[in-house]
Amino acid sequence: RSAAIDRLGLEAHRSALLDRAPDLVLVDIELHEQVAVALTLGVPVAATSTWIAPGRVRGLPPLDRPDPLPTGLRGVLTTELTWLRRRVTAQRPRLLAIARSRGADRQSVLHAFTRRHGADLRSLATTDAWLRPWGYDGLRTLVLGPTQLDLRADPSVTYVGPMVGPVDRVPLPPSVTAAVERHRLGPGDGPLVYCSFGSFVASYDEALLGRLVAAAADEPSWTLLLALGGTRDPDSLGPLPDNVVAERWMPQRRVLDEVDLAITHAGIMTILEGVLAGVPLLVRSAGLRDQDGNAARVVHHGLGRLLDREASAATIRDLVEEVRSDRLLADRVATMRRELLRDDRILERTVADLLAA
């Protein structure tokens, strides 16, 4: 374990951080080595999480599940059984790692390091969370998202509101500017649709992407803007209809201010940016990380509809028109937007409270 601590550079990192004499340490909830080091400094420490529900919330399903808010005894029991299965399955790789490394596995090493300096990581870490390999239930956690978007507020965390930056002032790509102008000047009244399935993970479904293009091709009054996020070369899509524009990258907040509807893979940032732009959502989860849980929250709050992975071009056209024309949905998006814009100083107050403590 001592050799493993040296290999991980934990003591060197601790010395470097001590030299900076921090008054407060905020560290991402998944950077476990940095969490362990921070706990040994004797200064206030809090975890930050971009996941809207990083730990277990009693009565709610894990964030990587598409389950709705449980209702009735059956729903509650099903949810509790889901968490029980997680606890059981989480222990197996943990015990195997201990056996294979003779006690020098990652978690044991971090526990030993914090004990060396009079801290206690073990009392804070928990496998009773959807995060892998473990999360924290005894460490103050700042969720970089709004209370209003969760199925139900988690009293064990502090929601600091949507951490969304200002609208990008970089110019739109020329092809996008031209497409928006053509749409605005065109004779039809079809929707201007933005679609992005992620910037960092190649989560585009080839068949679904083709059906999205086909749906737009059959509706000349539509304009479809495809942001491929660097995961695809637009030229690889082949010839596109005149009302479809594909780019590797688009300044998303700028584009969202222009469009009538957004199709997203249920990433939390696109959801938040869409709501702040007042744009209803059509959500297609690829089942990665928190996407299923985020999609469930979009539906729960009436901010959009689900897009099935097997949806045909005709189904996509119908869904787009339904979402665009649903006034109740538009009202819910507007209400959520007002809620999110109501207070933008939560993080400042939270940090001030941590420093005062």
Side-chain angles (χ1 to χ4, degrees):
R1 286 180 182 173
S2 182
I5 288 172
D6 292 338
R7 284 197 302 272
L8 287 173
L10 297 176
E11 293 292 359
H13 180 44
R14 182 174 187 272
S15 296
L17 199 53
L18 273 173
D19 288 343
R20 289 169 170 79
D23 299 304
L24 170 68
V25 178
L26 302 178
V27 56
D28 188 278
I29 197 170
E30 293 185 275
L31 300 181
H32 301 294
E33 282 73 17
Q34 284 77 4
V35 170
V37 168
L39 288 172
T40 69
L41 298 183
V43 300
V45 178
T48 65
S49 171
T50 54
W51 314 109
I52 195 73
R56 179 187 179 187
V57 184
R58 186 166 294 280
L60 295 187
L63 188 58
D64 57 351
R65 296 278 301 176
D67 309 339
L69 183 68
T71 57
L73 180 60
R74 181 176 182 179
V76 172
L77 291 176
T78 300
T79 298
E80 289 304 310
L81 182 60
T82 299
W83 283 110
L84 177 60
R85 282 199 297 263
R86 284 178 164 276
R87 279 198 297 276
V88 172
T89 56
Q91 290 304 316
R92 183 173 181 271
R94 162 86 172 121
L95 295 174
L96 286 174
I98 293 174
R100 289 168 178 164
S101 65
R102 292 176 294 176
D105 60 287
R106 182 185 184 192
Q107 193 169 1
S108 296
V109 168
L110 295 182
H111 289 325
F113 169 73
T114 54
R115 287 197 305 271
R116 175 188 292 182
H117 293 284
D120 186 7
L121 180 67
R122 188 177 298 276
S123 66
L124 304 177
T126 176
T127 55
D128 194 12
W130 76 271
L131 282 171
R132 291 291 184 266
W134 67 85
Y136 301 93
D137 64 2
L139 189 63
R140 180 88 176 263
T141 301
L142 312 184
V143 171
L144 307 182
T147 311
Q148 297 90 337
L149 195 62
D150 212 342
L151 294 176
R152 188 176 66 236
D154 179 359
S156 69
V157 305
T158 301
Y159 297 86
V160 299
M163 292 292 101
V164 175
V167 176
D168 300 319
R169 295 304 173 192
V170 296
L172 293 172
S175 62
V176 175
T177 298
V180 171
E181 290 177 351
R182 282 198 307 272
H183 186 86
R184 299 296 183 220
L185 296 173
D189 62 348
L192 178 56
V193 180
Y194 170 70
C195 176
S196 172
F197 290 150
S199 303
F200 305 107
V201 178
S203 56
Y204 277 88
D205 182 310
E206 296 290 335
L208 180 59
L209 191 61
R211 292 194 292 272
L212 282 168
V213 172
D218 290 340
E219 293 288 346
S221 64
W222 286 22
T223 296
L224 175 62
L225 306 177
L226 290 174
L228 302 180
T231 62
R232 288 286 304 275
D233 182 350
D235 291 338
S236 68
L237 300 179
L240 294 173
D242 292 340
N243 62 338
V244 177
V245 173
E247 292 284 349
R248 286 182 179 273
W249 186 264
M250 297 181 192
Q252 182 162 282
R253 293 211 64 195
R254 282 284 312 281
V255 174
L256 286 169
D257 279 344
E258 300 285 347
V259 301
D260 303 305
L261 179 144
I263 301 175
T264 171
H265 71 327
I268 189 62
M269 289 307 297
T270 300
I271 291 171
L272 289 173
E273 290 179 355
V275 171
L276 287 173
V279 175
L281 304 167
L282 193 53
V283 181
R284 177 264 182 185
S285 169
L288 299 172
R289 302 189 182 97
D290 61 336
Q291 292 177 2
D292 280 346
N294 291 340
R297 283 155 175 79
V298 167
V299 173
H300 175 76
H301 291 291
L303 306 175
R305 305 277 181 85
L306 292 180
L307 173 61
D308 188 86
R309 301 175 194 180
E310 305 301 323
S312 65
T315 300
I316 292 170
R317 287 195 300 273
D318 291 342
L319 278 172
V320 168
E321 293 297 341
E322 285 177 20
V323 170
R324 184 193 180 210
S325 61
D326 190 331
R327 297 312 308 165
L328 180 59
L329 190 152
D331 290 343
R332 287 172 176 164
V333 172
T335 299
M336 179 68 75
R337 179 178 183 272
R338 287 194 296 271
E339 287 289 315
L340 299 191
L341 292 174
R342 188 173 56 183
D343 191 349
D344 62 352
R345 307 297 289 268
I346 302 173
L347 182 57
E348 292 178 32
R349 293 197 302 273
T350 302
V351 169
D353 291 344
L354 288 167
L355 289 169

